[in-house]
Amino acid sequence: MRLSGVGLTGFVVGLLFGQQPTAIHHPFLWDRELSLRPNLYIPEAAVVDAGGVLWVLCSARMGNEGYDKQHVTQAIFRIDEQGNQLSTAELGLPLSQEERGDTSDYRITPLRDGGIGLAFNKIRFETRGQSYLGAFYSTLGTDGKAGPLRQVAGPEIEVSAFVGLANGDLLLGGGLGDLLTFDPNGVSRWKKSFVQPILENSDAAVLSDRNICISAWAATRQRLLNKIRVMRLGQQGDVLHTADIDALRGQVAAGPDGSCAVLYDRAPSIYKGEYYLTLFDRSFNRQWTVPVPHSSASGAEFDLISRAEGSLAQIGNVIVQYDWSGKEVWKDIEHLGQTRTIVAAGTDGFFIVTKDLGMNNGFHVKRAAATKE
């Protein structure tokens, strides 16, 4: 079982860029440790819903019979902006313990009309690895109970991107070059395939003008091409602009006036990452590119988070903020984040979720607020 992912939906982007940018710093308002012994929780994904509540999806081992006898599952924590733990619940998917073990790539995203959407893969483990059986979708209630489970894609989708669009639909992207959208009830809207080159492991962001920015590995049937393709898509999936970057991985985020920011790793060796941040305007002209100096080993978890005042580049346990001119304005190193650091944007500030190697059962959440200098 494997989980991961964060989402920033179109309605949140609209709220962010409706504000006027201003110089800011980020005081941390609180830091909480969340645990329910003897259960073990490992945070894997986090998003903020329309009401400002943080949802943290965890892989979990639950029960008091000892580690080897605990059952493996997923759980949802809900934390409000004051740090209060509103609820904790085991994820109520209609799957047996054995079926849960054959799932991976969990993603969550807030829905425009409230609630949370969930997507994941069903897989089959085989002697030489694993094969993908299809992508499934459900909704989550505050009690962790899932709505009807619907298969929204066949084995051609290995879930990587999952975001809510400006019109309330949901976009799903993954392996073998496919992107598809469906409504909150799981009804298909449109599907696009990109096979020349094949676009794999896509990331997606909803832009302030309601269009879509995509970043994905470019590959042939035989090998990766050591570049990523960045695309600007219309709301129906039509390709408006494309650009290629010499890099192995990329993450995208919405910028002001329909622009798209890209954080990418050129990975000159297996031992060191080489990260850059660039901004494309709505015509896909590159406005600036700056190196992100706080690099780490290639392959580190990394993400790009959109804020009204700039973007947050998260590489491993380092978080760096840039304004929309490419100037570095703030940095934080999460020493607790020895296994995973997740940043989730809200309408005012953001949350940081970390798992410390020294914590046997729980995890930390802290909240940073955007404050004028």
Side-chain angles (χ1 to χ4, degrees):
M1 177 178 62
R2 187 168 80 251
L3 300 82
S4 61
V6 295
L8 185 67
T9 63
F11 78 86
V12 173
V13 169
L15 290 173
L16 291 179
F17 292 104
Q19 305 168 2
Q20 290 297 319
T22 183
I24 55 92
H25 66 282
H26 295 297
F28 289 109
L29 302 179
W30 48 258
D31 187 339
R32 301 283 189 270
E33 178 181 340
L34 298 163
S35 63
L36 290 172
R37 298 178 185 276
N39 300 334
L40 169 66
Y41 299 100
I42 300 175
E44 299 288 353
V47 296
V48 177
D49 68 17
V53 174
L54 175 71
W55 296 57
V56 182
L57 176 64
C58 298
S59 58
R61 301 183 72 95
M62 304 182 72
N64 56 11
E65 300 85 2
Y67 182 86
D68 291 337
K69 294 184 179 180
Q70 288 179 315
H71 73 280
V72 178
T73 184
Q74 304 86 30
I76 282 284
F77 284 73
R78 296 173 60 250
I79 303 103
D80 69 14
E81 292 180 329
Q82 288 71 48
N84 300 308
Q85 184 175 324
L86 301 180
S87 63
T88 304
E90 183 176 358
L91 200 61
L93 290 172
L95 299 172
S96 67
Q97 180 72 18
E98 181 179 357
E99 288 175 319
R100 282 178 182 264
D102 291 335
T103 60
S104 71
D105 303 300
Y106 281 72
R107 300 289 193 273
I108 53 177
T109 192
L111 303 177
R112 187 181 66 174
D113 297 330
I116 295 293
L118 169 76
F120 63 91
N121 278 120
K122 280 191 176 181
I123 56 178
R124 177 186 294 119
F125 290 100
E126 301 169 337
T127 303
R128 295 185 177 181
Q130 61 191 32
S131 59
Y132 289 82
L133 305 180
F136 289 76
Y137 162 77
S138 185
T139 57
L140 296 179
T142 57
D143 58 357
K145 185 176 180 181
L149 190 61
R150 299 177 173 89
Q151 183 169 359
V152 292
E156 72 276 5
I157 289 287
E158 176 186 346
V159 177
S160 59
F162 182 50
V163 297
L165 302 180
N167 65 359
D169 289 344
L170 299 159
L171 180 143
L172 194 66
L176 301 181
D178 288 328
L179 297 173
L180 59 90
T181 63
F182 50 89
D183 71 14
N185 294 316
V187 178
S188 178
R189 296 296 200 192
W190 55 258
K191 178 179 177 180
K192 303 291 181 179
S193 295
F194 302 94
V195 295
Q196 292 182 345
I198 300 170
L199 300 182
E200 299 183 350
N201 296 308
S202 55
D203 184 47
V206 180
L207 303 179
S208 60
D209 61 2
R210 302 171 66 93
N211 288 316
I212 306 162
C213 190
I214 300 289
S215 168
W217 292 353
T220 67
R221 297 288 180 184
Q222 291 75 36
R223 64 183 180 88
L224 288 173
L225 297 178
N226 292 328
K227 67 179 180 180
I228 59 172
R229 175 154 294 181
V230 185
M231 299 187 297
R232 180 183 178 89
L233 305 182
Q235 297 178 52
Q236 298 301 315
D238 47 313
V239 178
L240 304 178
H241 301 286
T242 65
D244 290 341
I245 299 175
D246 291 333
L248 292 180
R249 305 183 298 156
Q251 296 286 309
V252 293
D257 302 318
S259 62
C260 179
V262 186
L263 175 67
Y264 59 94
D265 179 12
R266 297 187 66 177
S269 76
I270 61 173
Y271 304 106
K272 182 177 177 61
E274 185 179 287
Y275 298 90
Y276 295 86
L277 180 65
T278 193
L279 184 74
F280 291 92
D281 66 16
R282 67 167 62 211
S283 298
F284 247 48
N285 298 310
R286 212 161 173 173
Q287 298 301 294
W288 47 260
T289 300
V290 295
V292 181
H294 312 284
S295 59
S296 63
S298 179
E301 293 279 354
F302 77 130
D303 200 5
L304 189 61
I305 309 298
S306 182
R307 299 291 308 134
E309 62 275 1
S311 60
L312 290 166
Q314 176 253 315
I315 303 170
N317 64 339
V318 177
I319 303 167
V320 188
Q321 178 163 331
Y322 292 84
D323 66 20
W324 290 118
S325 70
K327 178 184 177 182
E328 180 183 326
V329 295
W330 181 82
K331 180 181 72 173
D332 176 61
I333 299 176
E334 289 299 312
H335 297 290
L336 284 174
Q338 298 297 314
T339 58
R340 185 83 190 273
T341 299
I342 304 170
V343 181
T347 56
D348 176 28
F350 53 93
F351 297 87
I352 300 175
V353 182
T354 56
K355 174 69 176 179
D356 182 15
L357 286 175
M359 294 178 65
N360 293 324
N361 296 88
F363 56 94
H364 275 266
V365 177
K366 64 182 182 180
R367 180 178 172 231
T371 304
K372 295 181 181 179
E373 291 185 341

